[in-house]
Amino acid sequence: MSYINAKNVLPGWLLKEVRSYTGDGLVYIPPEQSSRREWGSKSGARQMYEARNNEIRRKKKDGRTVLQLAGEYNLSEDTIRQILYR
C-alpha cells in the first residue's frame, strides 16, 4: 500500500472538512469491507482447519479423550477444548 497525497485526489472543500476533524495528522482510510477476503480463503487454510476441527469433534463423540486428541494432533489440551466447545 502506498500513500497518496489527499490534496491531489480530494476536492478542497472536502480536504478542509477532513482537517477540521483530524488536524494535520495522517489519516488511514480502510478499504470497503466487501473487498476484503476472509482469513485463509485464498490459501485454503480456513477449509483445512475446519475439516480438522470437524474430525476432532467426531473423534471426541466416538469416545477419544482430550488427552488422546491432543497427542494425535500435536495440540495442547486447552486448544482441543476450545475446538470442542466452539
Side-chain angles (χ1 to χ4, degrees):
M1 177 175 79
S2 62
Y3 291 101
I4 299 171
N5 191 331
K7 72 179 180 181
N8 295 335
V9 294
L10 297 178
W13 65 269
L14 184 55
L15 188 56
K16 186 176 180 179
E17 187 70 23
V18 170
R19 279 191 187 127
S20 72
Y21 287 96
T22 63
D24 289 330
L26 296 174
V27 177
Y28 170 73
I29 301 173
E32 289 187 38
Q33 196 66 7
S34 61
S35 68
R36 297 188 70 188
R37 292 185 181 152
E38 287 187 331
W39 174 88
S41 63
K42 184 176 180 182
S43 67
R46 178 176 289 279
Q47 292 82 10
M48 181 194 70
Y49 285 121
E50 277 298 316
R52 181 203 66 186
N53 293 349
N54 288 335
E55 188 175 302
I56 289 171
R57 289 183 193 104
R58 184 183 51 76
K59 287 182 178 182
K60 178 65 174 139
K61 279 185 179 180
D62 291 342
R64 298 264 177 91
T65 66
V66 170
L67 185 60
Q68 289 171 331
L69 292 168
E72 184 176 340
Y73 289 94
N74 293 322
L75 297 171
S76 71
E77 292 177 46
D78 287 338
T79 300
I80 295 293
R81 285 187 193 97
Q82 286 177 355
I83 291 168
L84 293 173
Y85 300 126
R86 225 178 262 156

